[in-house]
Amino acid sequence: MCESSRGGRDFRSTARRASGRATGLSLALCLCAAGCFEIDAHVEIHEDGSATITERVQFSQRLLDLDRTRTEGIDIASLLSKESVEARMKNMGEGIRLVSHEVRDAERASRESIAVFEIDDVGKFRYVSPFFAVSEYARHGTIEAEFYASYGSTRWGPPWWDDRSGEMFLRFRHGGRSRERAEDEPPPRPPTPRELQVYRDLQPVFRDMADGMRLKFTVEAYGPVRVRGGIRDSRTRTHKFDLIDFSWQHLDQYGYEFLANEEIMLELLQGELGGGNLVENIKEHRTNATVPVFHPTGTSEISFQPSRALFDKHFAGKKISIRRGRDLVEEPARWEEIGYRPDPNRKPSE
């Protein structure tokens, strides 16, 4: 066998091993190899703890053209169908129901699906998207919600987070539950220099593939939300929290194209969503609207005041820890102190 042939085989073998290591957003990028797509999921939490989920999935004409030359059973257009939505819904939480579904033409010859779901308890919601999750997509592909009331010290966070007793918390676990590594199981092998070079060689291809891509997952509560570590538009007492807002248009912290940053792309392609370069850039999203939003820690948590219905269900007749000056005292929960009163001047979705 000639040397050049052996070298080509070695490169392809290394590429396969490298691609097998990619998870999370890197897999989402792989799936848009022939075109762009947008996924916009919006979760609206109501005052009784129920939620309405609106999902818009849009595929470009370029991506839909795969249907004309598809191989190995790929059927991109079928992911927009009601049957596909209902199949995913079976894993999206107890009591969830599909209220409406529509497939329609969109701009530039694209097609999009608009699905509206309802669920009686937002804490039982699990989002299963057609393509993406924040981490470990290949294993789980889900975003799980947990809804609970805080009566004292919260489950995790710095001391100032404890001041949020008497509030409702909505916690998201990205990518499902990770498999715990056994004590005698060796840690994952780091990529070799050859594998890293494969990632570097593929970066221009992935940047081109991501052209036009947009992934967004937004939560909107009935009242102002607070987020551990801060949130965009916090001074406006925003009701919205972006768990994910990632597109080809976002910039890095220096004002250059996010996906043109070689070190960022290297971490993305390896699925290293907690990598130093990614974290350093996305941590500025609270004050810099040009950088993307996603949370590499695997969990995110927001809190907001209880509505009257949630107060009666979770706090009435119970005690909570309240800070009185420097002291943290336990007192009966009082609606007048912790309850949310709607702003009569606020417009919907403001």
Side-chain angles (χ1 to χ4, degrees):
M1 180 181 293
C2 68
E3 186 64 26
S4 59
S5 176
R6 182 183 301 113
R9 187 178 67 177
D10 289 346
F11 179 85
R12 289 191 297 272
S13 176
T14 302
R16 284 194 296 270
R17 290 196 302 272
S19 63
R21 301 167 62 90
T23 58
L25 287 175
S26 58
L27 179 63
L29 289 172
C30 290
L31 290 169
C32 63
C36 61
F37 65 90
E38 296 184 17
I39 301 177
D40 188 344
H42 184 276
V43 180
E44 182 181 2
I45 306 168
H46 305 303
E47 293 190 22
D48 62 354
S50 64
T52 299
I53 301 98
T54 304
E55 176 194 67
R56 183 180 66 87
V57 181
Q58 184 182 106
F59 293 163
S60 70
Q61 181 184 25
R62 184 183 175 195
L63 185 58
L64 291 171
D65 282 344
L66 275 179
D67 281 343
R68 301 189 180 96
T69 58
R70 64 179 183 264
T71 58
E72 298 180 0
I74 297 175
D75 186 359
I76 298 298
S78 69
L79 294 176
L80 299 176
S81 69
K82 184 177 181 180
E83 291 74 18
S84 178
V85 171
E86 290 177 332
R88 288 191 290 116
M89 187 181 68
K90 294 177 181 178
N91 298 305
M92 289 172 63
E94 180 184 343
I96 194 166
R97 53 196 175 274
L98 181 63
V99 177
S100 65
H101 176 265
E102 177 187 5
V103 178
R104 65 191 185 189
D105 294 329
E107 65 273 10
R108 298 185 297 278
S110 62
R111 294 275 286 172
E112 65 181 17
S113 162
I114 307 293
V116 179
F117 308 89
E118 289 182 350
I119 191 167
D120 293 331
D121 182 354
V122 68
K124 296 180 179 178
F125 175 57
R126 300 173 72 246
Y127 183 55
V128 181
S129 84
F131 276 172
F132 78 96
V134 177
S135 64
E136 293 189 318
Y137 176 88
R139 182 176 299 166
H140 301 285
T142 63
I143 298 174
E144 298 180 359
E146 179 186 4
F147 193 45
Y148 63 93
S150 173
Y151 303 101
S153 178
T154 55
R155 303 184 181 190
W156 53 273
W160 57 264
W161 196 246
D162 289 341
D163 291 342
R164 303 194 179 194
S165 61
E167 294 192 2
M168 299 303 303
F169 279 71
L170 184 61
R171 186 180 188 184
F172 294 96
R173 180 180 293 105
H174 320 154
R177 300 179 184 274
S178 300
R179 181 183 66 85
E180 294 185 2
R181 182 162 55 91
E183 293 184 2
D184 58 347
E185 182 181 350
R189 177 181 62 82
T192 67
R194 182 186 289 268
E195 288 172 342
L196 287 175
Q197 186 58 47
V198 171
Y199 288 128
R200 295 184 190 278
D201 292 340
L202 290 175
Q203 285 182 20
V205 178
F206 278 87
R207 284 199 298 271
D208 179 66
M209 286 162 23
D211 185 14
M213 183 187 70
R214 179 72 180 271
L215 308 176
K216 191 168 185 180
F217 185 99
T218 302
V219 181
E220 181 176 2
Y222 55 78
V225 299
R226 296 199 286 178
V227 178
R228 179 173 180 255
I231 187 175
R232 280 179 177 170
D233 302 323
S234 60
R235 294 184 180 180
T236 67
R237 290 176 56 79
T238 180
H239 291 221
K240 294 182 179 180
F241 165 65
D242 287 331
L243 185 67
I244 305 171
D245 187 0
F246 184 90
S247 80
W248 63 281
Q249 295 176 310
H250 280 112
L251 307 177
D252 64 13
Q253 61 180 328
Y254 306 109
Y256 298 100
E257 292 182 21
F258 190 81
L259 295 179
N261 185 309
E262 181 176 327
E263 298 306 318
I264 286 176
M265 281 296 293
L266 191 61
E267 291 175 347
L268 276 177
L269 291 173
Q270 297 177 82
E272 296 290 342
L273 300 186
N277 294 292
L278 276 169
V279 171
E280 185 65 23
N281 277 270
I282 63 177
K283 73 179 184 180
E284 295 195 359
H285 75 265
R286 297 182 296 275
T287 56
N288 184 350
T290 67
V291 301
V293 179
F294 53 92
H295 301 268
T297 61
T299 57
S300 299
E301 202 164 31
I302 66 175
S303 70
F304 41 90
Q305 293 174 285
S307 63
R308 182 81 240 192
L310 291 175
F311 177 88
D312 291 343
K313 181 178 180 180
H314 295 281
F315 292 100
K318 297 183 179 180
K319 292 185 177 182
I320 61 173
S321 297
I322 297 181
R323 191 168 295 280
R324 302 295 188 191
R326 295 184 177 182
D327 298 324
L328 193 64
V329 298
E330 192 175 72
E331 297 181 358
R334 299 182 180 87
W335 163 254
E336 294 75 17
E337 291 190 359
I338 67 173
Y340 169 70
R341 296 168 181 79
D343 182 355
N345 299 318
R346 179 179 178 267
K347 299 178 182 178
S349 299
E350 188 175 59

